């Protein structure tokens, strides 16, 4: 299998599943893994559910059952930067877990015990391919660090803490956990997000509509990167 693609919500995977051909489904731990051909590439797509535990379990099961050459985590995120607006894309250079904190025993904030790393870098070649796809279609995209935690950030002070501590440009709830599963299994990983909210707590009543549009934009760019002309 060439690509494993993980999304947290159905809306983030809907376009990918629409485009997939020769589909077969396998259910593991309550998650449906849909394997087939996507833009001429063998791929498996899964909707893992929201949060770090669901996403890590999904990534591990995907690796063990389907052995993908690469894993891509796609979806939406909240902006932590004034340079990023709703609908913009983040093609991450690395991921951190902003809620990982054993600093009380002398560790740096964000260090993941067991692997002793804070930043988990994305695969350089795959990330470059996603950035090239964004440039080719004229999409506004930036690189940078994406921060993951089991919290929907909707507070200005928390937003500033995450941005200041990790230099992160966006926050969400799955990428850093998928990155950890990929790191310990030696699977190259990429992280793609479309901005759905500004993580400030303002205008959250508009979030569902923004998230729908952002999710589809993230998936559309992924299809372009996989060879858009075949879709």
């Amino acid at each position: 299998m060439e690509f494993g693609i993980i999304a947290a919500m159905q809306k983030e995977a809907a376009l990918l599943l629409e485009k997939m051909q020769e589909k077969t489904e396998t259910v593991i731990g309550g998650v449906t893994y849909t394997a087939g051909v996507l833009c001429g590439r063998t791929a498996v797509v899964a909707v893992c559910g929201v949060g770090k535990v669901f996403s890590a379990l999904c990534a591990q099961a995907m690796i063990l059952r389907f052995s993908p050459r690469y894993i891509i985590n796609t979806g939406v995120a909240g902006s932590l930067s004034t340079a990023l607006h709703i609908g913009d894309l983040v093609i991450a250079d690395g991921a951190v877990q902003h809620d990982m904190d054993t600093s009380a025993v002398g560790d740096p904030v964000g260090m993941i015990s067991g692997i002793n790393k804070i930043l988990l870098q994305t695969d350089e070649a795959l990330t470059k391919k996603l950035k090239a796809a964004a440039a080719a279609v004229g999409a506004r995209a930036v690189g940078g660090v994406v921060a993951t935690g089991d919290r929907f950030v909707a507070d200005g002070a928390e937003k500033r803490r995450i941005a200041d501590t990790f230099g992160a440009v966006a926050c969400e709830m799955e990428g850093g956990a998928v990155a950890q599963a990929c790191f310990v299994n030696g699977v190259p990983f990429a992280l793609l997000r479309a901005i759905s909210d500004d993580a400030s707590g303002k205008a959250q009543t508009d979030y569902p509509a923004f998230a729908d549009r952002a999710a589809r934009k993230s998936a559309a760019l992924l299809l372009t990167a996989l060879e858009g002309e075949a879709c």
Side-chain angles (χ1 to χ4, degrees):
M1 189 71 67
E2 190 168 4
F3 288 98
I5 302 170
I6 296 173
M9 299 180 288
Q10 189 66 35
K11 68 180 70 178
E12 296 168 332
L15 182 60
L16 304 173
L17 293 171
E18 287 172 21
K19 296 291 186 180
M20 182 174 276
Q21 300 175 330
E22 303 175 29
K23 291 185 280 191
T24 61
E25 294 184 348
T26 303
V27 179
I28 305 171
V31 174
T32 299
Y33 297 79
T34 304
V37 178
L38 190 61
C39 300
R41 312 293 188 90
T42 56
V44 57
V45 176
V47 178
C48 65
V50 174
K52 289 168 62 180
V53 174
F54 272 138
S55 55
L57 286 169
C58 178
Q60 185 66 42
M62 181 178 282
I63 291 166
L64 293 176
R65 174 63 178 81
F66 297 95
S67 303
R69 183 178 177 188
Y70 302 100
I71 285 183
I72 303 173
N73 182 210
T74 184
V76 301
S79 172
L80 296 176
S81 168
T82 56
L84 275 172
H85 307 288
I86 290 171
D88 289 346
L89 294 163
V90 178
I91 301 168
D93 300 307
V96 298
Q97 296 179 29
H98 68 77
D99 59 350
M100 190 71 185
D101 187 357
T102 53
S103 59
V105 295
D107 296 329
V109 174
M111 192 189 81
I112 302 169
S113 298
I115 60 175
N116 297 330
K117 294 178 71 70
I118 297 174
L119 179 68
L120 296 171
Q121 294 180 314
T122 55
D123 180 71
E124 185 176 353
L126 188 53
T127 298
K128 185 177 180 180
K129 186 178 182 72
L130 290 169
K131 290 180 178 179
V137 298
R140 190 170 189 278
V142 303
V145 174
V146 169
T148 300
D150 278 324
R151 178 181 180 183
F152 189 106
V153 176
D155 175 80
E158 180 68 358
K159 173 181 173 178
R160 289 189 295 274
R161 181 194 73 81
I162 296 169
D164 291 346
T165 302
F166 300 102
V169 298
C171 60
E172 40 82 282
M173 300 178 68
E174 294 82 30
V178 175
Q180 183 176 345
C182 289
F183 176 83
V184 298
N185 285 282
V187 177
F189 163 80
L191 175 57
L192 170 63
R193 289 290 186 271
I195 298 300
S196 59
D197 64 277
D198 64 5
S200 69
K202 299 177 182 178
Q204 294 303 325
T205 55
D206 295 327
Y207 170 76
F210 290 151
D212 287 346
R213 293 198 294 270
R216 197 165 183 88
K217 187 169 185 177
S218 180
L221 178 68
L222 179 51
L223 290 173
T224 299
L226 292 178
E227 296 299 339
E229 69 274 7
C231 296

